[in-house]
Protein backbone atom coordinates (compact mmCIF):
# COMPACT_ATOMS: atom_id res chain seq x y z
CA UNK A 1 0.00 0.00 0.00
CA UNK A 2 1.40 3.37 -0.96
CA UNK A 3 1.67 6.25 1.50
CA UNK A 4 -1.26 8.16 -0.07
CA UNK A 5 -3.42 5.01 0.03
CA UNK A 6 -2.51 4.40 3.66
CA UNK A 7 -3.31 8.01 4.51
CA UNK A 8 -6.75 7.67 2.89
CA UNK A 9 -7.45 4.45 4.81
CA UNK A 10 -6.42 6.14 8.05
CA UNK A 11 -8.54 9.21 7.29
CA UNK A 12 -11.66 7.16 6.57
CA UNK A 13 -11.09 4.85 9.54
CA UNK A 14 -10.91 7.74 11.98
CA UNK A 15 -13.86 9.49 10.38
CA UNK A 16 -15.94 6.31 10.62
CA UNK A 17 -15.03 5.88 14.29
CA UNK A 18 -16.52 9.31 14.98
CA UNK A 19 -19.90 8.09 13.73
CA UNK A 20 -22.43 5.93 15.54
CA UNK A 21 -21.97 2.29 14.51
CA UNK A 22 -25.31 2.21 12.68
CA UNK A 23 -24.22 5.03 10.33
CA UNK A 24 -20.80 3.67 9.39
CA UNK A 25 -21.89 1.37 6.55
CA UNK A 26 -23.66 4.18 4.70
CA UNK A 27 -20.68 6.47 5.28
CA UNK A 28 -18.29 3.87 3.89
CA UNK A 29 -20.40 3.28 0.79
CA UNK A 30 -20.46 7.01 0.07
CA UNK A 31 -16.83 7.71 0.98
CA UNK A 32 -15.37 4.79 -0.99
CA UNK A 33 -17.76 4.91 -3.95
CA UNK A 34 -16.32 2.43 -6.49
CA UNK A 35 -13.09 1.68 -4.58
CA UNK A 36 -13.97 -1.73 -3.16
CA UNK A 37 -10.42 -2.55 -1.93
CA UNK A 38 -10.39 0.72 0.04
CA UNK A 39 -13.78 -0.03 1.57
CA UNK A 40 -12.72 -3.56 2.53
CA UNK A 41 -9.50 -2.32 4.15
CA UNK A 42 -11.25 0.29 6.26
CA UNK A 43 -14.04 -2.15 7.12
CA UNK A 44 -11.50 -4.71 8.33
CA UNK A 45 -9.99 -2.12 10.66
CA UNK A 46 -13.40 -1.18 11.99
CA UNK A 47 -14.21 -4.84 12.63
CA UNK A 48 -10.90 -5.31 14.45
CA UNK A 49 -11.67 -2.24 16.57
CA UNK A 50 -15.06 -3.65 17.45
CA UNK A 51 -13.66 -7.10 18.26
CA UNK A 52 -10.99 -5.60 20.52
CA UNK A 53 -13.66 -3.97 22.64
CA UNK A 54 -12.05 -2.30 25.62
CA UNK A 55 -9.01 -4.58 25.58
CA UNK A 56 -6.55 -1.80 24.75
CA UNK A 57 -8.24 0.62 27.13
CA UNK A 58 -7.98 -1.89 29.97
CA UNK A 59 -4.84 -2.11 32.08
CA UNK A 60 -2.81 -5.26 31.45
CA UNK A 61 -2.97 -6.26 35.10
CA UNK A 62 -6.77 -6.15 35.01
CA UNK A 63 -6.87 -8.31 31.88
CA UNK A 64 -4.47 -10.81 33.44
CA UNK A 65 -6.52 -10.94 36.64
CA UNK A 66 -9.68 -11.63 34.65
CA UNK A 67 -7.94 -14.43 32.72
CA UNK A 68 -6.68 -16.01 35.94
CA UNK A 69 -10.13 -15.78 37.48
CA UNK A 70 -11.64 -17.52 34.45
CA UNK A 71 -9.15 -20.39 34.73
Amino acid sequence: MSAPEYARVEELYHAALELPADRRAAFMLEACKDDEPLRREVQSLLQAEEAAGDFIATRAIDVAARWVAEE
Side-chain angles (χ1 to χ4, degrees):
M1 181 179 299
S2 69
E5 290 170 328
Y6 178 80
R8 183 70 174 141
V9 167
E10 184 177 22
E11 174 189 342
L12 291 175
Y13 169 71
H14 288 290
L17 283 179
E18 296 288 323
L19 299 172
D22 63 336
R23 293 187 49 219
R24 290 178 186 165
F27 167 77
M28 293 303 302
L29 287 173
E30 177 64 28
C32 296
K33 304 250 188 236
D34 295 329
D35 194 341
E36 185 63 22
L38 174 63
R39 189 195 63 75
R40 281 194 312 262
E41 184 67 27
V42 176
Q43 188 63 40
S44 73
L45 293 172
L46 292 170
Q47 289 170 340
E49 172 78 19
E50 185 177 317
D54 67 351
F55 176 78
I56 294 174
T58 305
R59 296 180 321 154
I61 192 72
D62 295 336
V63 172
R66 189 170 53 228
W67 287 345
V68 169
E70 290 173 2
E71 292 295 318

